[in-house]
Amino acid sequence: MLSENKITAQKILDEATRLMNNAHKELQKADKNGQVYRDVKHLRLACGAAYLAVLKAIDGIFLLRNIPKSKRHASIEYYQLGLNKIDNKIQNALNAAYRILHIDGYYEGFNNVKAIQLGFEEAEYIVHKLKQAI
């Protein structure tokens, strides 16, 4: 069973990595203009993909830590509570990624380069933590 979880976690990591690669490509298309991104459409796509990578990576971490899947659509609270049990640093990174990438970048179209870069750094950190756990 343990090796099955690792195999599944590796597949989840591959998907999270693919999503982050797509997010970086979309962010390049958003075209920086000084301290802001010009193309909000591509910015939103980039932030959405990066945030999905975060959730995928946390799913993989939960799998490896035997935290049960949510029986219904997982909410941010599900991820926060699960991470509260295992790693506060990842939980803090999730909170930042949720706010910056999901709320500000994806929904609001907030286009500040420094803020979005911070959100991407938090996303990369979480994906990296899954890679380390495998």
Side-chain angles (χ1 to χ4, degrees):
M1 185 69 162
L2 181 61
S3 63
E4 278 184 41
N5 283 354
K6 285 200 174 214
I7 291 168
T8 303
Q10 182 61 52
K11 289 178 183 176
I12 292 170
L13 174 62
D14 293 345
E15 177 66 9
T17 301
R18 186 184 70 78
L19 285 164
M20 281 306 300
N21 289 338
N22 289 346
H24 284 290
K25 289 175 186 173
E26 286 298 326
L27 197 59
Q28 285 179 340
K29 293 177 186 176
D31 192 29
K32 281 188 224 177
N33 182 15
Q35 292 301 311
V36 296
Y37 289 102
R38 276 191 238 200
D39 191 330
V40 176
K41 174 192 154 203
H42 288 290
L43 171 69
R44 284 183 162 158
L45 290 171
C47 290
Y51 184 65
L52 286 175
V54 165
L55 298 182
K56 281 284 183 193
I58 295 171
D59 286 341
I61 292 167
F62 284 0
L63 175 69
L64 293 172
R65 296 287 189 103
N66 295 314
I67 294 177
K69 279 187 151 189
S70 176
K71 291 184 181 9
R72 56 190 184 98
H73 180 70
S75 65
I76 186 66
E77 291 83 13
Y78 161 76
Y79 290 102
Q80 290 169 330
L81 288 172
L83 287 172
N84 190 40
K85 297 175 187 175
I86 59 173
D87 193 321
N88 287 334
K89 287 182 182 179
I90 298 175
Q91 183 182 24
N92 290 337
L94 167 65
N95 291 337
Y98 173 73
R99 181 66 213 188
I100 296 167
L101 297 174
H102 186 60
I103 302 297
D104 294 338
Y106 181 74
Y107 279 110
E108 301 294 331
F110 184 68
N111 63 349
N112 182 280
V113 170
K114 286 182 182 179
I116 299 301
Q117 285 175 340
L118 177 60
F120 267 69
E121 287 170 14
E122 298 293 357
E124 292 285 357
Y125 171 77
I126 294 170
V127 172
H128 180 72
K129 292 305 277 187
L130 172 58
K131 185 175 183 178
Q132 285 180 325
I134 296 172

